Amino acid sequence: RAQGRLHPGPYSYGFLSRWFLARQEPPVKRKFRAPRRLLPSPECQVDAVMAEFLALHDRLEKLLRAADGLDLARIRVRTPMIPWIRLSLGMSFWLFTAHDRRHLYQAREVRKAPGFPATVFPKIA
């Protein structure tokens, strides 16, 4: 805001950003392995993971509200996965929510597995 990077929208994003976003949306067509540093610990507790998930989404909602009126197409931010890649702030918001939808889709598919949860999570069944 201090730099005057304001714009009421609508915004347009480049081909590469739109292509990458389409690859994140469910249904999942291609699987990607998560980087080792992002894999959950085997000791993680469901309640703790859920609390962190909800806290992150509360933060996202606050960031979205704070971004109202900013030029979401021109403001660039670093990606958490590959820091040397910079995306527009608006596309970053789109990708974050698409990534969530992807994981929720995957969770629904896992729940459809025959014998769930015993076949998927034998230690907790």
Side-chain angles (χ1 to χ4, degrees), residues 93-125:
F93 287 143
W94 279 108
L95 285 168
F96 189 89
T97 57
H99 187 248
D100 270 3
R101 287 188 294 276
R102 180 184 180 94
H103 280 296
L104 291 171
Y105 172 85
Q106 289 170 327
R108 275 189 230 101
E109 292 300 301
V110 166
R111 290 187 69 183
K112 291 179 186 176
F116 176 84
T119 56
V120 178
F121 303 108
K123 291 181 183 177
I124 61 172

Side-chain angles (χ1 to χ4, degrees), residues 5-121:
R5 293 192 177 185
L6 305 172
H7 192 279
Y11 310 101
S12 61
Y13 302 100
F15 170 78
L16 191 58
S17 292
R18 292 190 323 267
W19 177 85
F20 190 64
L21 176 62
R23 299 300 168 270
Q24 292 297 312
E25 291 288 358
V28 175
K29 296 169 190 75
R30 183 166 182 231
K31 294 181 182 181
F32 300 98
R33 287 201 179 274
R36 187 172 298 167
R37 66 185 173 89
L38 296 178
L39 291 175
S41 164
E43 297 86 33
C44 68
Q45 299 296 315
V46 173
D47 292 340
V49 170
M50 194 64 195
E52 184 177 1
F53 177 84
L54 294 173
L56 284 170
H57 284 79
D58 285 344
R59 174 106 169 100
L60 175 63
E61 182 180 357
K62 288 175 183 160
L63 289 170
L64 284 165
R65 290 183 191 282
D68 186 32
L70 295 176
D71 189 338
L72 300 180
R74 283 192 39 224
I75 296 172
R76 315 283 288 171
V77 295
R78 296 185 192 282
T79 65
M81 298 292 296
I82 309 168
W84 50 269
I85 292 180
R86 293 168 46 103
L87 297 170
S88 67
L89 180 58
M91 185 52 64
S92 295
F93 287 143
W94 279 108
L95 285 168
F96 189 89
T97 57
H99 187 248
D100 270 3
R101 287 188 294 276
R102 180 184 180 94
H103 280 296
L104 291 171
Y105 172 85
Q106 289 170 327
R108 275 189 230 101
E109 292 300 301
V110 166
R111 290 187 69 183
K112 291 179 186 176
F116 176 84
T119 56
V120 178
F121 303 108

